[in-house]
Amino acid sequence: MRYLSTRGGIAPLPFCQTVLAGLAEDGGLFLPERIPVLSEEDLRSWARLSYPELAFRVFGLFVDDLPPEDLYQLVERSYRTFTHPEVTPVVKKGPLWILELFHGPTLAFKDVALQFLGNLFEYLLLRSGEKLNILGATSGDTGSAAIYGVRGKKNMAIFILHPHGRVSPVQALQMTTVTDPNVFNLAIQGTFDHCQAIVKRLFSDLEFKRRYRLGAVNSINWARVMAQIVYYLWAYFRVGRPKVRFSVPTGNFGDIFAGYLARRMLAGRIERLILATNENDILTRFVEKGDYSVREVIPTISPSMDIQVASNFERYLYYLWDGDTDRVRQAMERFAREGRLRFSEDEVRRVQEDFLSRSVSQEETLATIRAFYQETGYILDPHTAVGVRAALEFADPEVPTISLATAHPAKFPEAVARALGFEPPVPEPLRDLGTRPRKVVILPARVEAVRRFIEEHAL
Ligand SMILES: *Cc1c(COP(=O)(O)O)cnc(C)c1O
């Protein structure tokens, strides 16, 4: 399998090269040349595989430039760090199925992809003898999950930008208490979109990117999307019904884009994807009325979804426009200038065949945490609650809905306490975080400040 760019400006590359590059050199995002569709035979035989075995099979469809034994080892090592034997268990709660994606080392779903990506990077670097400086922006969970994926690994350093004061205290502590010499936390005086813009600017400076061997782990990296496809298939098999829906609390469109690919691979057995947003509703406006226009970021109690520019959206446009890379490139250039895209009624109809969408307010999120706890005894984190609320509103008695639980509630104790009047029990990995030594640098929201820091500290 080879990978093309959504903007059509590069010759297709094999998998390993896309992993190290992150973004394509024409500014586009990597996509596989075709989407594999599972056969009836695959569906029968894959249904009983363990999580790592299933991941190995799924990756095998997309990766043909790694020895299978090595790929299997990487997968096995990556999911051994999860504390649940099923890695991402599916539990029935009230009318919904909950796919628990928070049993990794940082208690959020991004571990599923980033434990794998850290091992994969290290493997590729040891093989080539090269060094890599990972640069990324985070609205909270990506940062800690990336840091835990990379800490202490050979030939790699990691620079993670987060918006100063705009990630939850637990998330900030999870990042800044990692003091390994190869980890650099940069707290930026701005929003997540500023952080993301700085990272994009540095990556688009090809000379700088080459000189400092920059790589990405944020949700634009194809290997992350690929790793996330697995749990959609896994959950489909666990529920064991002919058709399901998924409800996905969405920010950067990474997680739900993996769901879109899983839907294509399962040839429609995922009836719809429910795209749930908080008050930062650009994607909901897109699905409801074809209006993809940027507004100010609103800080909410689900901060990992406080995003206006959804970095993986471009990948979906490629499919919506049947692989017309010129059109994608022109649209993204226009979007960069004008901050908006408009879609025709016909396009909106096609989008609505893939997605249902709902924007959930903070009051509704809190009310959902409360009601769900009263009815089922299960504590939702505020991101998960956004997805659950949307799932309940679109409930269809014929089609079971699987709602993605993207974080452990103990990562967001303030929001849970506002809803329930008490904080969730603190699991082992979060105890004593507040008393550990910290490592963090505060920088202004300017490209030059970050550039200088990297020049001084890169491997
Ligand atoms: C990152 C994150 C999301 C949003 O995922 P995207 O891939 O950006 O759409 C939702 N919930 C939590 C807890 C997250 O960390």
Side-chain angles (χ1 to χ4, degrees):
M1 181 76 81
R2 294 166 82 81
Y3 292 83
L4 45 77
S5 162
T6 49
R7 301 192 190 178
I10 59 156
L13 296 175
F15 172 79
C16 292
Q17 285 183 38
T18 73
V19 175
L20 293 172
L23 205 64
E25 295 225 329
D26 64 355
L29 305 182
F30 290 111
L31 281 174
E33 280 183 321
R34 59 188 173 77
I35 302 175
V37 176
L38 303 192
S39 65
E40 291 291 336
E41 174 51 31
D42 292 336
L43 288 171
R44 259 192 307 278
S45 61
W46 290 14
R48 288 163 199 275
L49 297 177
S50 71
Y51 191 95
E53 287 165 349
L54 180 64
F56 174 67
R57 298 300 167 91
V58 174
F59 295 175
L61 300 173
F62 293 101
V63 181
D64 52 19
D65 54 346
L66 281 178
E69 321 77 73
D70 294 1
L71 181 61
Y72 187 79
Q73 275 208 359
L74 290 172
V75 168
E76 209 277 324
R77 190 150 21 107
S78 302
Y79 297 113
R80 211 189 289 151
T81 57
F82 282 63
T83 54
H84 196 287
E86 289 186 44
V87 182
T88 63
V90 180
V91 295
K92 182 90 199 297
K93 296 289 168 191
L96 298 177
W97 298 83
I98 305 282
L99 170 55
E100 291 185 342
L101 299 172
F102 53 70
H103 295 281
T106 72
L107 307 181
F109 90 95
K110 294 185 174 78
D111 288 327
V112 179
L114 286 166
Q115 285 293 299
F116 173 66
L117 195 61
N119 286 318
L120 180 59
F121 270 129
E122 185 179 52
Y123 171 89
L124 295 174
L125 292 169
L126 287 174
R127 200 170 71 170
S128 68
E130 289 170 309
K131 293 193 159 69
L132 183 68
N133 292 293
I134 290 168
L135 172 62
T138 183
S139 54
D141 284 329
T142 318
S144 53
I147 287 165
Y148 274 80
V150 171
R151 67 184 301 182
K153 296 232 152 74
K154 297 193 187 75
N155 292 9
M156 286 193 253
I158 182 164
F159 299 81
I160 292 290
L161 283 63
H162 70 266
H164 186 44
R166 291 185 192 234
V167 301
S168 83
V170 179
Q171 284 179 327
L173 279 174
Q174 276 189 311
M175 290 190 277
T176 58
T177 54
V178 178
T179 57
D180 299 55
N182 70 335
V183 173
F184 299 97
N185 284 295
L186 307 183
I188 300 297
Q189 294 166 316
T191 64
F192 170 68
D193 283 352
H194 290 129
C195 296
Q196 190 153 268
I198 292 171
V199 167
K200 279 204 164 178
R201 277 281 297 282
L202 291 174
F203 273 120
S204 66
D205 179 344
L206 298 184
E207 161 61 19
F208 183 77
K209 182 181 169 198
R210 252 191 303 272
R211 174 166 332 150
Y212 293 98
R213 301 208 46 78
L214 296 189
V217 295
N218 48 13
S219 61
I220 57 175
N221 197 299
W222 164 255
R224 281 188 58 184
V225 174
M226 181 182 82
Q228 291 171 357
I229 293 170
V230 176
Y231 51 69
Y232 286 92
L233 304 181
W234 168 262
Y236 173 75
F237 290 134
R238 299 286 80 64
V239 170
R241 298 273 292 274
K243 285 204 182 227
V244 298
R245 279 183 182 171
F246 282 92
S247 182
V248 187
T250 304
N252 256 320
F253 206 80
D255 199 2
I256 198 161
F257 180 71
Y260 170 80
L261 293 176
R263 183 168 182 271
R264 301 263 308 250
M265 292 169 71
L266 285 172
R269 291 176 179 85
I270 298 174
E271 188 257 352
R272 277 306 210 324
L273 294 157
I274 299 172
L275 189 162
T277 60
N278 64 23
E279 285 148 352
N280 296 285
D281 64 348
I282 181 169
L283 289 166
T284 299
R285 283 183 278 121
F286 163 68
V287 174
E288 284 181 345
K289 39 189 199 243
D291 166 26
Y292 188 77
S293 57
V294 175
R295 296 188 183 158
E296 281 289 295
V297 176
I298 302 166
T300 73
I301 55 172
S302 46
S304 298
M305 296 156 63
D306 291 350
I307 288 163
Q308 283 291 333
V309 181
S311 55
N312 274 287
F313 185 63
E314 181 171 343
R315 285 190 159 114
Y316 180 67
L317 290 184
Y318 173 88
Y319 293 116
L320 182 65
W321 291 336
D322 301 316
D324 185 343
T325 52
D326 285 338
R327 195 166 170 195
V328 174
R329 178 173 42 76
Q330 282 160 14
M332 295 318 293
E333 285 166 4
R334 185 164 359 106
F335 180 71
R337 282 194 309 274
E338 298 169 10
R340 66 198 293 197
L341 292 174
R342 292 250 179 252
F343 294 84
S344 69
E345 272 179 36
D346 185 52
E347 285 167 333
V348 170
R349 251 194 310 278
R350 289 184 52 200
V351 170
Q352 291 177 353
E353 287 167 15
D354 295 327
F355 302 105
L356 299 162
S357 187
R358 176 81 161 74
S359 161
V360 177
S361 73
Q362 297 184 74
E363 288 89 293
E364 289 171 321
T365 306
L366 292 171
T368 303
I369 294 174
R370 201 173 305 124
F372 207 75
Y373 179 70
Q374 281 162 1
E375 279 156 35
T376 68
Y378 190 81
I379 304 179
L380 302 169
D381 103 284
H383 304 78
T384 305
V386 168
V388 163
R389 174 67 174 230
L392 291 172
E393 289 198 9
F394 288 114
D396 177 336
E398 301 299 315
V399 187
T401 302
I402 302 165
S403 209
L404 272 55
T406 52
H408 191 289
K411 291 193 81 168
F412 301 93
E414 305 84 1
V416 172
R418 268 174 68 189
L420 300 182
F422 62 89
E423 293 193 352
V426 180
E428 184 56 47
L430 297 185
R431 290 193 197 133
D432 85 358
L433 265 192
T435 60
R436 292 189 210 159
R438 291 175 209 177
K439 184 180 174 191
V440 60
V441 176
I442 299 170
L443 292 178
R446 287 205 313 272
V447 179
E448 288 317 310
V450 177
R451 188 195 301 272
R452 213 170 315 119
F453 188 89
I454 292 172
E455 286 168 356
E456 285 162 11
H457 295 89
L459 285 181

